[in-house]
Amino acid sequence: MYRRYLFHLFVLLLPFLFISCAMADSSLRLAPYFTSGMVLQRHQPICIHGYAGAGEKVRVDFLQSLQTPTCDKDGRWEVCLPEQKAGGPYILKVESEGEEVEVHDIYIGEVWLCSGQSNMQLPVRETKGAAEDIASASEQKRVHLYQMRPSRIPFAEAWEKTYVDSLKRNEYYLPAQWTKCDAKTVADFSAIGYHFGRLLSEKLDCHVGIICNAVDGSLCESWIDSQTLASGCPDLNKEWWTEPLIQQWARNRAKTNLKNYPEALPYHPYAPSYLFDCGIAPLSGVTLAGVLWYQGEGNAHNATLHEQLFPLLQKSWRTHFAAPELPFYFVQLSGISTLPTWGHFRDSQRRLGVLPRTYMTVSHDLGEAKNIHPKRKREIAERLVAAALVHEYGQTGVPCGPVYLGAELKSNKILLHFQYGKGMCTSDGKSPKGFEVAGKNGVFVPAKARIVGETIEVWSDAVAQPQQVRYAWDSFPQANVVGSNGFPISTFADRIF
């Protein structure tokens, strides 16, 4: 009798429940990115979007412009304004059907997206100089932080059903909002992202917004939309947890996390396209100045595959953000002694640096022998800023260390040519080191080297006719040649014949 009463009560209340849900879904709101304290990209058209009831007319008052868009059948509305110079603070007011949303402290400046895996995510509090950086954080009035924090890092643990269900709904990131810099927000924010924003705001004298959505251990393929990935690497769209092309460590970790719910493997953070769906798709409509990318550890086992994936990543994001020339600044893997393939992978990354609007920052000299998360992130940010100032903002200067261009054989010596080679020297004042040569037998031996203007001569008394040369090839290299700005030469290898 009691159960029958509850059933009839539920039937009576059901229409009201549907009405309540519909009302909630049709409430006036902005897309999650548009919160107080946000930064909008200068010198590009400004588009703002949100939601209300289907067919409703919305009043949007911003930058002395009043627009009245009508919501489409899905309740989405959007307004676009002409490009603006840097400035602020501004107020955005949105009204519809008696509801009003007001957003304060909006600035127009530079917006950069920081993404990748744990070395991009590594927070300020875990890096060298953390105490000083945290103590001075509140002084950074022009740096704005948008932390897209993962709800969980995929540690070696089994996840409960309620959490797995949230992954199926693409609810991997916690709700985010723009924040000011203070001791707490900076301590927990990406060190590279924070220092990049801090330095850029000083150099450009404008507000800078930094978005970070990096995920520990994530794979390049996880960040590429499914359509782009299917067209470029169709094998990865199958049962990825058994696909040998994908790093075994990542596959095993996903199986551990979802061992009680294996049917949910397509929704794991390491699954192909999953992080695109959760971390990139929600940024739809956001205009960016550029992308900072630090990832590769999760793909270092297969450099050939990564050479396919990274251009696909760029294509995916440039399409999504409707920015065919969106610049990518990426960090080459640092040095570490425990992972023997990294010299080869770093050289593969160097070759990717020739992609359009793509710029590589070298970091092998900042690595730590047994730590995959080296602490000197401030220096990496300084190198990224130096490159961006030249390539994006037209400032004069040298954007990076000397860039290897090619070699020629002169008698028993190899002569190496470099871009930005003027002023080359060694970081320790000693003779150049880190070079190796090989003859016909292909066996590399340590080589001597001498800087000659903008070139370097390399030779070995043990190799009469050198045919190959390489530099900083060890996973944890002891190499010391730098440019006039103190930035190092990348790992490289080349065959002369």
Side-chain angles (χ1 to χ4, degrees), residues 172-249:
Y172 181 57
Y173 288 92
L174 299 172
Q177 64 180 11
W178 284 98
T179 60
K180 298 178 180 179
C181 288
D182 58 33
K184 184 178 187 309
T185 58
V186 166
D188 292 334
F189 199 77
S190 160
I192 289 178
Y194 168 68
H195 286 299
F196 182 88
R198 175 182 63 82
L199 293 167
L200 198 64
S201 69
E202 294 172 1
K203 297 292 185 179
L204 301 181
D205 193 26
C206 74
H207 287 256
V208 175
I210 302 294
I211 307 166
C212 183
N213 62 3
V215 175
D216 293 50
S218 60
L219 312 177
C220 188
E221 53 266 33
S222 303
W223 294 98
I224 304 170
D225 74 274
S226 57
Q227 184 175 351
T228 302
L229 191 61
S231 66
C233 289
D235 289 341
L236 299 188
N237 271 350
K238 299 176 183 177
E239 294 184 344
W240 71 277
W241 52 93
T242 62
E243 174 53 60
L245 287 174
I246 294 177
Q247 190 173 107
Q248 184 175 354
W249 176 88

Side-chain angles (χ1 to χ4, degrees), residues 445-462:
V445 299
K448 299 175 183 178
R450 181 168 68 100
I451 298 172
V452 183
E454 299 181 34
T455 66
I456 298 178
E457 289 183 347
V458 182
W459 73 96
S460 170
D461 296 336

Side-chain angles (χ1 to χ4, degrees), residues 303-344:
T304 302
L305 176 63
H306 182 261
E307 288 174 6
Q308 294 178 264
L309 291 172
F310 188 62
L312 290 176
L313 172 81
Q314 294 182 326
K315 177 183 178 181
S316 175
W317 290 19
R318 286 169 174 160
T319 300
H320 179 74
F321 289 108
E325 295 188 357
L326 181 67
F328 276 75
Y329 289 73
F330 74 94
V331 182
Q332 188 185 44
L333 293 190
S334 301
I336 189 169
S337 63
T338 56
L339 297 167
T341 63
W342 278 28
H344 177 68

